[in-house]
PDB file of all heavy atoms in Angstrom:
ATOM      1  N   VAL A  92     -48.807 -31.451-117.869  1.00 98.00           N
ATOM      2  CA  VAL A  92     -48.506 -32.257-119.011  1.00 98.00           C
ATOM      3  C   VAL A  92     -49.788 -32.650-119.765  1.00 98.00           C
ATOM      4  O   VAL A  92     -49.887 -32.530-120.960  1.00 98.00           O
ATOM      5  CB  VAL A  92     -47.710 -33.554-118.567  1.00 98.00           C
ATOM      6  CG1 VAL A  92     -47.597 -34.494-119.759  1.00 98.00           C
ATOM      7  CG2 VAL A  92     -46.384 -33.140-117.992  1.00 98.00           C
ATOM      8  N   SER A 132     -37.592 -33.417-115.640  1.00 98.00           N
ATOM      9  CA  SER A 132     -37.351 -34.820-115.951  1.00 98.00           C
ATOM     10  C   SER A 132     -38.222 -35.248-117.170  1.00 98.00           C
ATOM     11  O   SER A 132     -37.895 -36.260-117.811  1.00 98.00           O
ATOM     12  CB  SER A 132     -37.678 -35.642-114.751  1.00 98.00           C
ATOM     13  OG  SER A 132     -38.957 -35.272-114.211  1.00 98.00           O
ATOM     14  N   GLU A 133     -39.246 -34.467-117.501  1.00 98.00           N
ATOM     15  CA  GLU A 133     -40.069 -34.776-118.691  1.00 98.00           C
ATOM     16  C   GLU A 133     -39.222 -34.725-119.975  1.00 98.00           C
ATOM     17  O   GLU A 133     -39.626 -35.260-120.995  1.00 98.00           O
ATOM     18  CB  GLU A 133     -41.216 -33.763-118.796  1.00 98.00           C
ATOM     19  CG  GLU A 133     -42.372 -34.090-117.882  1.00 98.00           C
ATOM     20  CD  GLU A 133     -43.128 -35.391-118.221  1.00 98.00           C
ATOM     21  OE1 GLU A 133     -43.591 -35.497-119.339  1.00 98.00           O
ATOM     22  OE2 GLU A 133     -43.160 -36.273-117.344  1.00 98.00           O
ATOM     23  N   GLY A 136     -38.394 -38.282-120.871  1.00 98.00           N
ATOM     24  CA  GLY A 136     -39.539 -38.932-121.506  1.00 98.00           C
ATOM     25  C   GLY A 136     -39.474 -40.419-121.688  1.00 98.00           C
ATOM     26  O   GLY A 136     -39.622 -41.203-120.725  1.00 98.00           O
ATOM     27  N   PHE A 182     -36.790 -33.509-111.075  1.00 98.00           N
ATOM     28  CA  PHE A 182     -37.808 -34.551-111.028  1.00 98.00           C
ATOM     29  C   PHE A 182     -39.000 -34.073-110.207  1.00 98.00           C
ATOM     30  O   PHE A 182     -38.897 -33.085-109.529  1.00 98.00           O
ATOM     31  CB  PHE A 182     -37.230 -35.870-110.546  1.00 98.00           C
ATOM     32  CG  PHE A 182     -36.334 -36.546-111.619  1.00 98.00           C
ATOM     33  CD1 PHE A 182     -35.247 -35.953-112.099  1.00 98.00           C
ATOM     34  CD2 PHE A 182     -36.675 -37.783-112.130  1.00 98.00           C
ATOM     35  CE1 PHE A 182     -34.423 -36.479-113.063  1.00 98.00           C
ATOM     36  CE2 PHE A 182     -35.910 -38.360-113.078  1.00 98.00           C
ATOM     37  CZ  PHE A 182     -34.793 -37.697-113.575  1.00 98.00           C
ATOM     38  N   ASN A 183     -40.108 -34.826-110.324  1.00 98.00           N
ATOM     39  CA  ASN A 183     -41.375 -34.333-109.656  1.00 98.00           C
ATOM     40  C   ASN A 183     -41.124 -33.968-108.193  1.00 98.00           C
ATOM     41  O   ASN A 183     -40.504 -34.760-107.468  1.00 98.00           O
ATOM     42  CB  ASN A 183     -42.435 -35.479-109.683  1.00 98.00           C
ATOM     43  CG  ASN A 183     -42.801 -35.867-111.101  1.00 98.00           C
ATOM     44  OD1 ASN A 183     -41.939 -36.195-111.887  1.00 98.00           O
ATOM     45  ND2 ASN A 183     -44.085 -35.885-111.407  1.00 98.00           N
ATOM     46  N   HIS A 184     -41.642 -32.826-107.818  1.00 98.00           N
ATOM     47  CA  HIS A 184     -41.587 -32.422-106.409  1.00 98.00           C
ATOM     48  C   HIS A 184     -42.888 -31.841-106.019  1.00 98.00           C
ATOM     49  O   HIS A 184     -43.475 -31.015-106.793  1.00 98.00           O
ATOM     50  CB  HIS A 184     -40.366 -31.530-106.117  1.00 98.00           C
ATOM     51  CG  HIS A 184     -40.219 -30.413-107.121  1.00 98.00           C
ATOM     52  ND1 HIS A 184     -39.604 -30.598-108.335  1.00 98.00           N
ATOM     53  CD2 HIS A 184     -40.600 -29.134-107.056  1.00 98.00           C
ATOM     54  CE1 HIS A 184     -39.609 -29.423-108.980  1.00 98.00           C
ATOM     55  NE2 HIS A 184     -40.278 -28.543-108.242  1.00 98.00           N
ATOM     56  N   GLU A 185     -43.323 -32.122-104.856  1.00 98.00           N
ATOM     57  CA  GLU A 185     -44.705 -31.949-104.410  1.00 98.00           C
ATOM     58  C   GLU A 185     -44.725 -31.293-103.017  1.00 98.00           C
ATOM     59  O   GLU A 185     -43.709 -31.252-102.380  1.00 98.00           O
ATOM     60  CB  GLU A 185     -45.440 -33.292-104.381  1.00 98.00           C
ATOM     61  CG  GLU A 185     -45.088 -34.284-105.432  1.00 98.00           C
ATOM     62  CD  GLU A 185     -45.603 -33.870-106.775  1.00 98.00           C
ATOM     63  OE1 GLU A 185     -46.792 -33.580-106.868  1.00 98.00           O
ATOM     64  OE2 GLU A 185     -44.798 -33.908-107.808  1.00 98.00           O
ATOM     65  N   VAL A 194     -51.210 -35.301-109.787  1.00 98.00           N
ATOM     66  CA  VAL A 194     -51.689 -36.561-109.237  1.00 98.00           C
ATOM     67  C   VAL A 194     -51.575 -36.652-107.720  1.00 98.00           C
ATOM     68  O   VAL A 194     -52.499 -37.111-107.076  1.00 98.00           O
ATOM     69  CB  VAL A 194     -51.103 -37.747-109.958  1.00 98.00           C
ATOM     70  CG1 VAL A 194     -49.673 -38.088-109.482  1.00 98.00           C
ATOM     71  CG2 VAL A 194     -51.978 -38.986-109.878  1.00 98.00           C
ATOM     72  N   THR A 195     -50.462 -36.237-107.135  1.00 98.00           N
ATOM     73  CA  THR A 195     -50.286 -36.391-105.717  1.00 98.00           C
ATOM     74  C   THR A 195     -51.303 -35.599-104.941  1.00 98.00           C
ATOM     75  O   THR A 195     -51.955 -36.089-104.014  1.00 98.00           O
ATOM     76  CB  THR A 195     -48.864 -35.910-105.276  1.00 98.00           C
ATOM     77  OG1 THR A 195     -48.725 -34.592-105.718  1.00 98.00           O
ATOM     78  CG2 THR A 195     -47.785 -36.815-105.869  1.00 98.00           C
ATOM     79  N   ASN A 217     -53.764 -43.550-115.498  1.00 98.00           N
ATOM     80  CA  ASN A 217     -52.794 -44.673-115.424  1.00 98.00           C
ATOM     81  C   ASN A 217     -52.054 -44.654-114.092  1.00 98.00           C
ATOM     82  O   ASN A 217     -51.280 -43.793-113.760  1.00 98.00           O
ATOM     83  CB  ASN A 217     -51.761 -44.382-116.559  1.00 98.00           C
ATOM     84  CG  ASN A 217     -50.565 -45.345-116.531  1.00 98.00           C
ATOM     85  OD1 ASN A 217     -50.673 -46.360-115.915  1.00 98.00           O
ATOM     86  ND2 ASN A 217     -49.502 -44.918-117.156  1.00 98.00           N
ATOM     87  N   ASP A 219     -49.992 -47.119-113.169  1.00 98.00           N
ATOM     88  CA  ASP A 219     -48.785 -47.925-113.260  1.00 98.00           C
ATOM     89  C   ASP A 219     -47.500 -47.087-113.478  1.00 98.00           C
ATOM     90  O   ASP A 219     -46.430 -47.631-113.443  1.00 98.00           O
ATOM     91  CB  ASP A 219     -48.930 -48.930-114.414  1.00 98.00           C
ATOM     92  CG  ASP A 219     -50.052 -49.955-114.100  1.00 98.00           C
ATOM     93  OD1 ASP A 219     -50.069 -50.352-112.923  1.00 98.00           O
ATOM     94  OD2 ASP A 219     -50.799 -50.320-115.058  1.00 98.00           O
ATOM     95  N   SER A 220     -47.689 -45.844-113.869  1.00 98.00           N
ATOM     96  CA  SER A 220     -46.517 -45.077-114.186  1.00 98.00           C
ATOM     97  C   SER A 220     -45.659 -44.839-112.896  1.00 98.00           C
ATOM     98  O   SER A 220     -46.192 -44.771-111.773  1.00 98.00           O
ATOM     99  CB  SER A 220     -46.853 -43.697-114.866  1.00 98.00           C
ATOM    100  OG  SER A 220     -47.736 -43.012-114.017  1.00 98.00           O
ATOM    101  N   ILE A 221     -44.358 -44.723-113.112  1.00 98.00           N
ATOM    102  CA  ILE A 221     -43.393 -44.567-111.998  1.00 98.00           C
ATOM    103  C   ILE A 221     -42.845 -43.154-112.009  1.00 98.00           C
ATOM    104  O   ILE A 221     -42.477 -42.587-113.044  1.00 98.00           O
ATOM    105  CB  ILE A 221     -42.257 -45.568-112.197  1.00 98.00           C
ATOM    106  CG1 ILE A 221     -42.804 -46.965-112.131  1.00 98.00           C
ATOM    107  CG2 ILE A 221     -41.153 -45.353-111.171  1.00 98.00           C
ATOM    108  CD1 ILE A 221     -41.790 -48.078-112.467  1.00 98.00           C
ATOM    109  N   ARG A 222     -42.833 -42.571-110.841  1.00 98.00           N
ATOM    110  CA  ARG A 222     -42.267 -41.238-110.651  1.00 98.00           C
ATOM    111  C   ARG A 222     -41.354 -41.195-109.433  1.00 98.00           C
ATOM    112  O   ARG A 222     -41.485 -42.040-108.514  1.00 98.00           O
ATOM    113  CB  ARG A 222     -43.410 -40.162-110.450  1.00 98.00           C
ATOM    114  CG  ARG A 222     -44.237 -39.883-111.721  1.00 98.00           C
ATOM    115  CD  ARG A 222     -43.405 -39.214-112.836  1.00 98.00           C
ATOM    116  NE  ARG A 222     -44.199 -38.898-114.002  1.00 98.00           N
ATOM    117  CZ  ARG A 222     -44.484 -39.737-114.990  1.00 98.00           C
ATOM    118  NH1 ARG A 222     -44.045 -40.995-114.950  1.00 98.00           N
ATOM    119  NH2 ARG A 222     -45.206 -39.329-116.063  1.00 98.00           N
ATOM    120  N   ASP A 223     -40.512 -40.185-109.433  1.00 98.00           N
ATOM    121  CA  ASP A 223     -39.506 -39.983-108.315  1.00 98.00           C
ATOM    122  C   ASP A 223     -39.976 -38.715-107.690  1.00 98.00           C
ATOM    123  O   ASP A 223     -39.613 -37.611-108.114  1.00 98.00           O
ATOM    124  CB  ASP A 223     -38.137 -39.910-109.039  1.00 98.00           C
ATOM    125  CG  ASP A 223     -37.036 -39.547-108.072  1.00 98.00           C
ATOM    126  OD1 ASP A 223     -37.282 -38.966-106.952  1.00 98.00           O
ATOM    127  OD2 ASP A 223     -35.857 -39.849-108.349  1.00 98.00           O
ATOM    128  N   TRP A 224     -40.803 -38.836-106.619  1.00 98.00           N
ATOM    129  CA  TRP A 224     -41.425 -37.693-106.017  1.00 98.00           C
ATOM    130  C   TRP A 224     -40.647 -37.180-104.789  1.00 98.00           C
ATOM    131  O   TRP A 224     -40.587 -37.941-103.795  1.00 98.00           O
ATOM    132  CB  TRP A 224     -42.869 -37.997-105.530  1.00 98.00           C
ATOM    133  CG  TRP A 224     -43.896 -38.163-106.592  1.00 98.00           C
ATOM    134  CD1 TRP A 224     -44.412 -37.136-107.406  1.00 98.00           C
ATOM    135  CD2 TRP A 224     -44.583 -39.380-106.953  1.00 98.00           C
ATOM    136  NE1 TRP A 224     -45.387 -37.688-108.212  1.00 98.00           N
ATOM    137  CE2 TRP A 224     -45.542 -39.037-107.979  1.00 98.00           C
ATOM    138  CE3 TRP A 224     -44.481 -40.707-106.575  1.00 98.00           C
ATOM    139  CZ2 TRP A 224     -46.352 -40.000-108.565  1.00 98.00           C
ATOM    140  CZ3 TRP A 224     -45.278 -41.643-107.185  1.00 98.00           C
ATOM    141  CH2 TRP A 224     -46.199 -41.299-108.177  1.00 98.00           C
ATOM    142  N   GLY A 225     -40.182 -35.923-104.835  1.00 98.00           N
ATOM    143  CA  GLY A 225     -39.555 -35.309-103.688  1.00 98.00           C
ATOM    144  C   GLY A 225     -40.368 -34.180-103.127  1.00 98.00           C
ATOM    145  O   GLY A 225     -41.515 -33.991-103.596  1.00 98.00           O
ATOM    146  N   THR A 250     -34.874 -37.709-105.797  1.00 98.00           N
ATOM    147  CA  THR A 250     -34.548 -38.484-104.608  1.00 98.00           C
ATOM    148  C   THR A 250     -33.762 -39.696-104.983  1.00 98.00           C
ATOM    149  O   THR A 250     -33.083 -40.289-104.137  1.00 98.00           O
ATOM    150  CB  THR A 250     -35.868 -38.943-103.921  1.00 98.00           C
ATOM    151  OG1 THR A 250     -36.449 -39.972-104.739  1.00 98.00           O
ATOM    152  CG2 THR A 250     -36.850 -37.848-103.681  1.00 98.00           C
ATOM    153  N   GLY A 251     -33.886 -40.177-106.196  1.00 98.00           N
ATOM    154  CA  GLY A 251     -33.178 -41.392-106.645  1.00 98.00           C
ATOM    155  C   GLY A 251     -34.020 -42.676-106.436  1.00 98.00           C
ATOM    156  O   GLY A 251     -33.548 -43.778-106.670  1.00 98.00           O
ATOM    157  N   VAL A 252     -35.280 -42.508-105.895  1.00 98.00           N
ATOM    158  CA  VAL A 252     -36.101 -43.673-105.650  1.00 98.00           C
ATOM    159  C   VAL A 252     -37.415 -43.473-106.405  1.00 98.00           C
ATOM    160  O   VAL A 252     -38.040 -42.389-106.326  1.00 98.00           O
ATOM    161  CB  VAL A 252     -36.437 -43.815-104.155  1.00 98.00           C
ATOM    162  CG1 VAL A 252     -37.138 -45.160-103.849  1.00 98.00           C
ATOM    163  CG2 VAL A 252     -35.169 -43.715-103.309  1.00 98.00           C
ATOM    164  N   GLY A 253     -37.878 -44.536-107.067  1.00 98.00           N
ATOM    165  CA  GLY A 253     -39.135 -44.409-107.856  1.00 98.00           C
ATOM    166  C   GLY A 253     -40.265 -45.236-107.178  1.00 98.00           C
ATOM    167  O   GLY A 253     -40.023 -46.253-106.588  1.00 98.00           O
ATOM    168  N   TYR A 254     -41.476 -44.679-107.413  1.00 98.00           N
ATOM    169  CA  TYR A 254     -42.695 -45.424-106.913  1.00 98.00           C
ATOM    170  C   TYR A 254     -43.741 -45.319-107.989  1.00 98.00           C
ATOM    171  O   TYR A 254     -43.740 -44.309-108.802  1.00 98.00           O
ATOM    172  CB  TYR A 254     -43.211 -44.799-105.660  1.00 98.00           C
ATOM    173  CG  TYR A 254     -42.347 -45.027-104.416  1.00 98.00           C
ATOM    174  CD1 TYR A 254     -41.420 -44.036-104.051  1.00 98.00           C
ATOM    175  CD2 TYR A 254     -42.425 -46.196-103.642  1.00 98.00           C
ATOM    176  CE1 TYR A 254     -40.597 -44.208-102.890  1.00 98.00           C
ATOM    177  CE2 TYR A 254     -41.630 -46.378-102.540  1.00 98.00           C
ATOM    178  CZ  TYR A 254     -40.735 -45.385-102.174  1.00 98.00           C
ATOM    179  OH  TYR A 254     -39.943 -45.584-101.090  1.00 98.00           O
ATOM    180  N   THR A 255     -44.680 -46.257-107.990  1.00 98.00           N
ATOM    181  CA  THR A 255     -45.812 -46.137-108.982  1.00 98.00           C
ATOM    182  C   THR A 255     -46.811 -45.230-108.357  1.00 98.00           C
ATOM    183  O   THR A 255     -46.865 -45.001-107.123  1.00 98.00           O
ATOM    184  CB  THR A 255     -46.453 -47.511-109.197  1.00 98.00           C
ATOM    185  OG1 THR A 255     -46.916 -48.023-107.952  1.00 98.00           O
ATOM    186  CG2 THR A 255     -45.500 -48.470-109.856  1.00 98.00           C
ATOM    187  N   VAL A 256     -47.759 -44.746-109.202  1.00 98.00           N
ATOM    188  CA  VAL A 256     -48.911 -43.981-108.693  1.00 98.00           C
ATOM    189  C   VAL A 256     -49.715 -44.848-107.709  1.00 98.00           C
ATOM    190  O   VAL A 256     -50.223 -44.327-106.716  1.00 98.00           O
ATOM    191  CB  VAL A 256     -49.803 -43.466-109.880  1.00 98.00           C
ATOM    192  CG1 VAL A 256     -51.037 -42.811-109.372  1.00 98.00           C
ATOM    193  CG2 VAL A 256     -48.969 -42.538-110.814  1.00 98.00           C
ATOM    194  N   ASP A 258     -48.456 -47.008-105.677  1.00 98.00           N
ATOM    195  CA  ASP A 258     -47.799 -46.934-104.381  1.00 98.00           C
ATOM    196  C   ASP A 258     -48.252 -45.644-103.672  1.00 98.00           C
ATOM    197  O   ASP A 258     -48.475 -45.671-102.459  1.00 98.00           O
ATOM    198  CB  ASP A 258     -46.278 -46.904-104.545  1.00 98.00           C
ATOM    199  CG  ASP A 258     -45.712 -48.187-105.057  1.00 98.00           C
ATOM    200  OD1 ASP A 258     -46.268 -49.262-104.725  1.00 98.00           O
ATOM    201  OD2 ASP A 258     -44.672 -48.133-105.804  1.00 98.00           O
ATOM    202  N   PHE A 259     -48.298 -44.564-104.425  1.00 98.00           N
ATOM    203  CA  PHE A 259     -48.647 -43.300-103.773  1.00 98.00           C
ATOM    204  C   PHE A 259     -50.063 -43.340-103.216  1.00 98.00           C
ATOM    205  O   PHE A 259     -50.320 -42.811-102.115  1.00 98.00           O
ATOM    206  CB  PHE A 259     -48.489 -42.079-104.749  1.00 98.00           C
ATOM    207  CG  PHE A 259     -48.481 -40.769-104.020  1.00 98.00           C
ATOM    208  CD1 PHE A 259     -47.311 -40.202-103.662  1.00 98.00           C
ATOM    209  CD2 PHE A 259     -49.685 -40.132-103.710  1.00 98.00           C
ATOM    210  CE1 PHE A 259     -47.260 -38.982-102.933  1.00 98.00           C
ATOM    211  CE2 PHE A 259     -49.724 -38.933-102.978  1.00 98.00           C
ATOM    212  CZ  PHE A 259     -48.485 -38.347-102.598  1.00 98.00           C
ATOM    213  N   ARG A 283     -53.133 -40.073-121.060  1.00 97.00           N
ATOM    214  CA  ARG A 283     -52.436 -39.158-122.026  1.00 97.00           C
ATOM    215  C   ARG A 283     -52.190 -39.847-123.351  1.00 97.00           C
ATOM    216  O   ARG A 283     -51.951 -41.083-123.368  1.00 97.00           O
ATOM    217  CB  ARG A 283     -51.151 -38.713-121.389  1.00 97.00           C
ATOM    218  CG  ARG A 283     -51.397 -37.876-120.161  1.00 97.00           C
ATOM    219  CD  ARG A 283     -50.303 -37.888-119.142  1.00 97.00           C
ATOM    220  NE  ARG A 283     -50.869 -37.218-117.935  1.00 97.00           N
ATOM    221  CZ  ARG A 283     -50.095 -36.613-117.080  1.00 97.00           C
ATOM    222  NH1 ARG A 283     -48.781 -36.574-117.182  1.00 97.00           N
ATOM    223  NH2 ARG A 283     -50.675 -35.968-116.114  1.00 97.00           N
ATOM    224  N   THR A 285     -49.665 -39.860-125.170  1.00 98.00           N
ATOM    225  CA  THR A 285     -48.397 -40.596-125.028  1.00 98.00           C
ATOM    226  C   THR A 285     -48.022 -40.367-123.558  1.00 98.00           C
ATOM    227  O   THR A 285     -48.054 -39.285-123.023  1.00 98.00           O
ATOM    228  CB  THR A 285     -47.252 -39.953-125.907  1.00 98.00           C
ATOM    229  OG1 THR A 285     -47.398 -38.571-125.956  1.00 98.00           O
ATOM    230  CG2 THR A 285     -47.319 -40.545-127.338  1.00 98.00           C
ATOM    231  N   GLU A 286     -47.628 -41.505-122.906  1.00 98.00           N
ATOM    232  CA  GLU A 286     -47.317 -41.446-121.470  1.00 98.00           C
ATOM    233  C   GLU A 286     -45.826 -41.529-121.272  1.00 98.00           C
ATOM    234  O   GLU A 286     -45.062 -42.034-122.119  1.00 98.00           O
ATOM    235  CB  GLU A 286     -48.013 -42.623-120.762  1.00 98.00           C
ATOM    236  CG  GLU A 286     -47.725 -42.846-119.300  1.00 98.00           C
ATOM    237  CD  GLU A 286     -48.223 -41.719-118.404  1.00 98.00           C
ATOM    238  OE1 GLU A 286     -47.509 -40.652-118.356  1.00 98.00           O
ATOM    239  OE2 GLU A 286     -49.247 -41.889-117.690  1.00 98.00           O
ATOM    240  N   VAL A 287     -45.328 -40.993-120.166  1.00 98.00           N
ATOM    241  CA  VAL A 287     -43.962 -41.212-119.736  1.00 98.00           C
ATOM    242  C   VAL A 287     -44.049 -42.329-118.649  1.00 98.00           C
ATOM    243  O   VAL A 287     -44.615 -42.089-117.602  1.00 98.00           O
ATOM    244  CB  VAL A 287     -43.361 -39.888-119.196  1.00 98.00           C
ATOM    245  CG1 VAL A 287     -42.048 -40.190-118.494  1.00 98.00           C
ATOM    246  CG2 VAL A 287     -43.199 -38.846-120.313  1.00 98.00           C
ATOM    247  N   ASP A 288     -43.515 -43.487-118.995  1.00 98.00           N
ATOM    248  CA  ASP A 288     -43.743 -44.614-118.089  1.00 98.00           C
ATOM    249  C   ASP A 288     -42.959 -44.588-116.795  1.00 98.00           C
ATOM    250  O   ASP A 288     -43.423 -44.920-115.738  1.00 98.00           O
ATOM    251  CB  ASP A 288     -43.371 -45.942-118.803  1.00 98.00           C
ATOM    252  CG  ASP A 288     -44.337 -46.168-119.974  1.00 98.00           C
ATOM    253  OD1 ASP A 288     -45.514 -45.777-119.878  1.00 98.00           O
ATOM    254  OD2 ASP A 288     -43.916 -46.735-120.988  1.00 98.00           O
ATOM    255  N   ALA A 289     -41.696 -44.184-116.833  1.00 98.00           N
ATOM    256  CA  ALA A 289     -40.871 -44.260-115.653  1.00 98.00           C
ATOM    257  C   ALA A 289     -39.764 -43.188-115.582  1.00 98.00           C
ATOM    258  O   ALA A 289     -38.998 -43.047-116.492  1.00 98.00           O
ATOM    259  CB  ALA A 289     -40.181 -45.660-115.633  1.00 98.00           C
ATOM    260  N   LEU A 290     -39.789 -42.485-114.512  1.00 98.00           N
ATOM    261  CA  LEU A 290     -38.760 -41.420-114.274  1.00 98.00           C
ATOM    262  C   LEU A 290     -38.158 -41.697-112.888  1.00 98.00           C
ATOM    263  O   LEU A 290     -38.900 -41.637-111.890  1.00 98.00           O
ATOM    264  CB  LEU A 290     -39.398 -40.037-114.370  1.00 98.00           C
ATOM    265  CG  LEU A 290     -39.916 -39.562-115.705  1.00 98.00           C
ATOM    266  CD1 LEU A 290     -40.619 -38.170-115.545  1.00 98.00           C
ATOM    267  CD2 LEU A 290     -38.798 -39.458-116.735  1.00 98.00           C
ATOM    268  N   ILE A 291     -36.910 -41.995-112.876  1.00 98.00           N
ATOM    269  CA  ILE A 291     -36.167 -42.110-111.619  1.00 98.00           C
ATOM    270  C   ILE A 291     -34.783 -41.433-111.796  1.00 98.00           C
ATOM    271  O   ILE A 291     -34.022 -41.845-112.674  1.00 98.00           O
ATOM    272  CB  ILE A 291     -35.925 -43.599-111.189  1.00 98.00           C
ATOM    273  CG1 ILE A 291     -37.266 -44.379-111.219  1.00 98.00           C
ATOM    274  CG2 ILE A 291     -35.284 -43.707-109.841  1.00 98.00           C
ATOM    275  CD1 ILE A 291     -37.133 -45.901-111.026  1.00 98.00           C
ATOM    276  N   GLY A 292     -34.557 -40.414-111.015  1.00 98.00           N
ATOM    277  CA  GLY A 292     -33.349 -39.615-111.259  1.00 98.00           C
ATOM    278  C   GLY A 292     -32.105 -40.167-110.598  1.00 98.00           C
ATOM    279  O   GLY A 292     -32.167 -40.914-109.637  1.00 98.00           O
ATOM    280  N   THR A 309     -40.728 -40.325-100.780  1.00 98.00           N
ATOM    281  CA  THR A 309     -42.193 -40.336-101.174  1.00 98.00           C
ATOM    282  C   THR A 309     -43.167 -40.770-100.055  1.00 98.00           C
ATOM    283  O   THR A 309     -44.149 -40.102 -99.843  1.00 98.00           O
ATOM    284  CB  THR A 309     -42.336 -41.154-102.472  1.00 98.00           C
ATOM    285  OG1 THR A 309     -41.452 -40.624-103.432  1.00 98.00           O
ATOM    286  CG2 THR A 309     -43.741 -41.085-102.987  1.00 98.00           C
TER     287      THR A 309
END
Side-chain angles (χ1 to χ4, degrees):
V92 173
S132 49
E133 282 292 303
F182 283 62
N183 299 52
H184 47 277
E185 322 289 311
V194 79
T195 54
N217 172 21
D219 293 321
S220 57
I221 296 171
R222 291 292 183 276
D223 174 336
W224 287 289
T250 70
V252 189
Y254 291 95
T255 59
V256 174
D258 291 329
F259 196 93
R283 293 152 188 208
T285 39
E286 175 65 284
V287 169
D288 294 328
L290 294 174
I291 307 172
T309 306

